[in-house]
Structure formats: structure tokens, C-alpha cells
Amino acid sequence: MRMRPSLRFAVVLALLLGLLVPTTLVLLYDAQRTRRIALDDLRRDLARTTEVMALSLAEPVWQVSPDLAEPMIKAQFDDPRFVSVLVKEPATAEPFQQHSRRQAPDEQDLTLAETRAVMRDGRQIASLTVEMSAAPLLEIKHAEMLRTVWRSLATLTFSLVLILAVMQRRVLRPMTQLTQAAEALAAGQLDKPLNLGGSDEIARVGSAMERMRCSLLEAFEALRLHANTLEDQVEQRTVELTSANDDLLQALGHLKTAQHELVESEKLASLGRLVAGVAHELNTPLGNSLTVVSSLEDRYRRLEEMLNNSTPMRRSLLEELVRDTRRGQDILQRNVQKAADLVRDFKQVAIDQTTDLRREFDLAQVVEDVLVMVEPSFKHTPYLIKEALSKGIMMNSYPGSLGQVLTNLLINALVHGFEGCKSGEVEVRCERLSITEVELSISDNGIGMDESVRRRIFDPFFTTKLGTGGSGLGMHIVHNIVTHVLGGQIEVFSSPGNGARMVIRMPCVAPQRSTTSDVLG
């Protein structure tokens, strides 16, 4: 029942828009065109009339006979376009003749004026100013346009009545019957036949709906015959889908477990490399300390023997012992302090990378701590690490995740970036981009990489060292830590022979993270 008013409204609206809009546009165009033509005609008539009047008024002005000029001027005012006529002699302040009629305020834009000299024997004896208005002519044109509008409205009204009557009989009434039949079919009332007279398009739609009603009756009958078989098939498929779903859930659980174990193994591998490097670095200060202690122990044992044997001791011997003791103490203190610093830095890095707690830290300090742990891996190689760190950049983020990213990038540069190079440098740089964002870059002057490797460098399980111990997860974990944990972005710039540059842009305050398993994406 809602189709009839909506269809009728659409037809009425289409007619209104189809007739009124073009008519309105044409009328507006005609109004502007009529105004322009009227002003052009007025300009020509004004020039011609002014010229004729200037010639006609030459004799009355020369004879100083206003009474002779007045009938000529008044005769012009029979034309409703005339607004004013002013004849003025140069020698007098008073006008020779002046006639005008009252103007409406809206006529000012339609009024034109022209001034011409009144000549006698080649000499100007007066000036003639004539003002004419196009308003009377435009009023006639507007009246014609108004009659055109009324004729258009009458035509539109007649068309609307005629079209709505035809629609009511040939469209709306059959559509109502079709709607009622469709609602009956939707309600399951298939026992009511649909019969529409005629052979037009709507009647053919009604015949198609009747055939559909008969087909539905046959289909429902067939469905009733196969209902039991269908229920058995549905039950069987449900059991199969349930079993498959359980298998998928179990496989998904295994996959998540494997992902978590891969992340943890990569962390432990990184931490293992740090342990090996720190242990190697501790050998030197601890070995020096052990040597000093052994030497001092030997000197004190000899002193103890001399005391036990009551051997006379010279002053120079005691002074030498004191000097050696102080020198040994100084060496021992420096080496023990160096070992303590290494253990402290390693402890902080290890705590950050194993617990991965969020805390406030100085970016440069965390980078320096990580470099201390990674430098042993570079110590016996021809490759150097340079740093250019801006101090005082405070962050509220995850230093453990940041340290793992930096460690992976440095080891990646060592293993892949300098392959076949006799020397090389890795530069680590950090700086503040804005009050809320920092940039950390790691660049090397190694062999670089081609575009195919650069595009896939963050893909999981992609490695150029396949079969030689590379897991292909290092750079993938770096990308996911930077984007998912630190809330930043990482870009790679490289070309063959020109080294590689990894640029990390991240916020000073990291976003809240959900779970650690997100690292693998």
C-alpha cells in the first residue's frame, strides 16, 4: 500500500521538475535578454532622438524663444520612455527649458542619459541633456512573461491530472493487486490464485507470479517428501563440521604456542650472544685482578717467612712492598670496577630483555648499555661501531624491546652487511624529531642489498643465510616490536654497494600493549 503515494509523488515531482525548471530557466534567460535588448534599443533611440532634438532646438534657442521650444519638448514626452529634457545656455545659470516626469526608485538602473551640444553656424549656443528609461518597455515584456507562466501552469495542471488518471487505472491499481498477492505469498498463503486481466507488462508480471506460486507449491511438496533425508544430512554435516572445527582450534593453539616459543627462543638467543660477549669481556679485568692478587700473595708470603724466621728487614724492602701493594691495589680496583660496570650493564639489559617492563629511561643511556653488550662481538673483527647520541631524550617505553631491536640490527649488520668486506663501520645515531617523537638510525657502509631483498627483509622466515643457522625471524621480530610494541615505524634504505640504513621513528611515550604474543603478528 506504500507504493501508490510514493509512485504518484515521483511522477508529480518529475513533471514539476521537467516543466517548471526549464520554464523558469527560460524565463530568467528571456528576462535578462529582454533587459539587455531593451537597453541597447534605448541607447540607439536616445542617441538618435538627442541628435534630432539638438537640430530642432537650434532655432528657438538662437531666437531665445522658450515658448517655441516647449511644444517640441513636450511632444517627446508622449513617449513614456522619456524621463527628463534639459536645455541650458552656457552664459546663464538658469535652464532655457527643463521638463521631467517622476521616476520610480527601481527605474534608476534602467535610465540612460546623453548630452549633446546645440550648434548654430558652427558655434555651440546651448547644451541638451536627455534622459530616457527602458522601464515601460520592460513592463510590457514582463506582462507577456507572466501570461506565459500562467499558460505553463495550466498546461502542467492538465498534464498532471491526465497522467495521474492513467496511472491510477493502468499502473497503481494493478500494482496494488500485485502487492497484495506478494504479501500473501510471503505469509505462506499459496492457495489464493492471482488473476490480472490484460496483456501489458504488469499483467505479464502477474502471470509470472502465478507461475511462481504454482512452482512454490510443487517445491514445498518435494521438500516435505525429502525432509527426513535432509535432516539426516544436516546432522551428519554438523558432526563433521564440529570435528573439523575442533581440529582447527587445536592446530591454532599449537600455532600460537609455536609462535610464542619462537619469540622466546629468539630472545634467549639474543641474550645468549650478550652473555658470550660479556663473559669474554670479563676475562681481561678478572684475569688482571687474579694476576695482581697472585703477585701480592707471593710478596706477602715472602714477608711472612721473613717475619717467622726473624730475618732482618731493610727499610727499602718495606717501602718497595708498600709501593707494590698500592700499585696492585690500584690495578685491582680499576679492573674490579670495570668488571662491576660490565656486570651492572649486563644485569640491566638482561632484566629489560627478560621482563620487558615499561619504565622511564634516557634513550642514549639504554643505547650505550646495549652497545657495551654488543661490542665484544665486534672486538675481534675489522668492523667498528660509532655512535652519535643526543643526550637527555627521556622516554616512557619498553627498554628491553628497544634493546632487542638494536641488538638484532647490529648483529644483522655484522653477519650480513659486511660479508666479504675487509673493514667497515656501523653508526648508531639518535635524535629528537619533535617534542613527542624520536629517531633511531643504524647505518653501515657494507655491501648493501638489492631491491628484491629490501622488499622482503621483514617477511617471516626470509633469510639469505638459509641452511647456515639463520631462522629468518630476526628482522620480522624487529618490525613487529617497532610497530606493535614501541608504536613506531621502521624504514630500510639500501642499494648494492652502498650499505644499508635502518631508520626507526617512534613516540617518546609508547602506546599500551596487549600481549607479548603479538610480536609475531
Side-chain angles (χ1 to χ4, degrees):
M1 300 300 292
R2 298 165 56 187
M3 184 179 297
R4 294 177 61 186
S6 61
L7 185 58
R8 185 181 293 111
F9 174 77
V11 172
V12 172
L13 182 61
L15 284 174
L16 289 175
L17 293 177
L19 291 177
L20 290 182
V21 172
T23 302
T24 303
L25 294 177
V26 170
L27 289 176
L28 291 175
Y29 173 76
D30 286 344
Q32 295 296 326
R33 184 171 177 272
T34 301
R35 176 188 177 94
R36 186 173 63 254
I37 294 174
L39 288 175
D40 292 341
D41 293 342
L42 181 66
R43 193 173 288 107
R44 287 193 300 269
D45 292 345
L46 177 62
R48 186 173 57 254
T49 302
T50 305
E51 183 178 1
V52 172
M53 288 184 67
L55 294 174
S56 302
L57 291 173
E59 189 64 27
V61 173
W62 178 256
Q63 297 178 8
V64 192
S65 176
D67 295 337
L68 184 60
E70 185 174 1
M72 297 181 185
I73 296 175
K74 286 185 176 181
Q76 299 298 328
F77 276 86
D78 293 338
D79 187 344
R81 296 179 299 171
F82 272 80
V83 176
S84 69
V85 176
L86 175 63
V87 181
K88 191 174 181 181
E89 295 176 305
T92 61
E94 292 295 328
F96 178 77
Q97 277 290 329
Q98 182 176 8
H99 295 274
S100 63
R101 67 175 178 83
R102 182 174 299 178
Q103 262 188 304
D106 56 351
E107 288 188 39
Q108 298 296 327
D109 296 337
L110 302 173
T111 301
L112 298 177
E114 184 164 341
T115 301
R116 190 176 292 271
V118 180
M119 307 296 292
R120 172 77 177 190
D121 297 333
R123 182 170 59 90
Q124 179 178 352
I125 59 175
S127 63
L128 171 65
T129 300
V130 179
E131 290 185 354
M132 297 179 69
S133 173
L137 180 59
L138 289 180
E139 289 179 359
I140 297 173
K141 296 294 184 179
H142 288 165
E144 293 178 359
M145 291 173 60
L146 185 60
R147 287 192 294 272
T148 302
V149 170
W150 282 111
R151 284 195 300 270
S152 299
L153 290 177
T155 302
L156 177 61
T157 304
F158 178 75
S159 300
L160 282 176
V161 173
L162 181 61
I163 292 175
L164 290 178
V166 174
M167 282 184 55
Q168 179 67 28
R169 180 177 179 84
R170 301 302 299 252
V171 178
L172 296 179
R173 188 179 301 165
M175 289 296 291
T176 301
Q177 296 177 1
L178 286 177
T179 302
Q180 293 174 352
E183 291 177 350
L185 289 178
Q189 300 174 4
L190 303 179
D191 54 342
K192 294 181 180 180
L194 176 62
N195 186 16
L196 291 179
S199 60
D200 56 8
E201 290 81 359
I202 297 180
R204 289 196 292 271
V205 172
S207 300
M209 290 186 64
E210 175 63 19
R211 291 194 297 271
M212 183 179 66
R213 183 186 69 84
C214 296
S215 300
L216 286 175
L217 285 173
E218 296 175 359
F220 284 152
E221 184 64 25
L223 286 175
R224 292 189 189 96
L225 294 177
H226 295 285
N228 294 332
T229 303
L230 183 60
E231 289 179 358
D232 293 340
Q233 291 178 352
V234 169
E235 184 177 358
Q236 181 181 358
R237 293 292 177 84
T238 302
V239 172
E240 293 175 356
L241 288 175
T242 302
S243 176
N245 189 39
D246 293 339
D247 294 341
L248 287 175
L249 290 175
Q250 186 176 4
L252 181 61
H254 293 331
L255 178 60
K256 289 183 177 180
T257 302
Q259 288 179 344
H260 183 71
E261 290 176 354
L262 284 173
V263 174
E264 294 301 322
S265 64
E266 188 67 24
K267 285 186 176 180
L268 292 177
S270 176
L271 194 59
R273 289 192 293 268
L274 295 182
V275 170
V278 170
H280 182 77
E281 281 296 303
L282 285 175
N283 279 336
T284 299
L286 292 181
N288 293 339
S289 300
L290 183 60
T291 301
V292 171
V293 170
S294 299
S295 176
L296 291 177
E297 182 181 6
D298 182 62
R299 298 298 298 273
Y300 279 108
R301 186 173 61 254
R302 289 167 53 192
L303 178 62
E304 185 178 6
E305 289 176 357
M306 293 177 67
L307 291 175
N308 291 335
N309 296 332
S310 298
T311 304
M313 288 184 293
R314 295 188 301 274
R315 179 182 178 87
S316 59
L317 180 63
L318 290 176
E319 290 176 351
E320 181 182 358
L321 178 61
V322 170
R323 284 196 304 271
D324 291 344
T325 302
R326 288 179 178 176
R327 188 181 303 112
Q329 180 185 2
D330 182 58
I331 295 173
L332 186 62
Q333 182 178 0
R334 288 199 306 270
N335 283 275
V336 171
Q337 183 64 43
K338 183 176 181 181
D341 292 341
L342 285 171
V343 171
R344 185 191 67 247
D345 293 341
F346 172 73
K347 180 181 178 182
Q348 184 61 57
V349 173
I351 290 174
D352 286 339
Q353 292 198 12
T354 53
T355 61
D356 203 13
L357 295 178
R358 183 190 187 110
R359 65 180 177 88
E360 290 189 358
F361 58 90
D362 187 325
L363 176 59
Q365 184 61 48
V366 169
V367 173
E368 289 175 351
D369 292 344
V370 173
L371 293 181
V372 170
M373 301 296 105
V374 177
E375 279 177 351
S377 300
F378 285 75
K379 188 169 185 180
H380 298 290
T381 67
Y383 314 123
L384 302 176
I385 297 180
K386 296 174 61 177
E387 58 184 61
L389 309 177
S390 298
K391 304 292 185 179
I393 302 177
M394 299 304 297
M395 298 185 64
N396 187 330
S397 187
Y398 301 92
S401 297
L402 180 59
Q404 185 178 0
V405 167
L406 185 56
T407 301
N408 284 8
L409 292 178
L410 291 172
I411 298 300
N412 190 73
L414 176 63
V415 174
H416 301 278
F418 296 118
E419 185 176 9
C421 297
K422 296 181 179 180
S423 63
E425 290 183 353
V426 179
E427 183 181 36
V428 181
R429 178 185 297 271
C430 71
E431 58 185 343
R432 184 185 294 274
L433 296 180
S434 65
I435 193 172
T436 60
E437 191 177 21
V438 298
E439 180 180 280
L440 176 64
S441 64
I442 298 91
S443 56
D444 63 71
N445 57 356
I447 61 175
M449 65 188 83
D450 57 27
E451 184 63 19
S452 62
V453 175
R454 191 193 68 81
R455 286 200 307 267
R456 299 185 57 195
I457 191 170
F458 296 124
D459 291 351
F461 305 108
F462 173 75
T463 176
T464 57
K465 298 288 187 180
L466 186 62
T468 58
S471 67
L473 286 175
M475 295 302 291
H476 178 64
I477 291 177
V478 165
H479 180 270
N480 284 296
I481 289 177
V482 171
T483 56
H484 296 160
V485 178
L486 303 178
Q489 296 178 342
I490 181 171
E491 292 183 88
V492 181
F493 303 93
S494 181
S495 60
N498 294 320
R501 182 167 178 258
M502 313 287 180
V503 179
I504 301 173
R505 295 182 179 90
M506 52 189 169
C508 294
V509 179
Q512 294 296 329
R513 56 186 292 193
S514 54
T515 59
T516 308
S517 60
D518 292 338
V519 174
L520 275 176

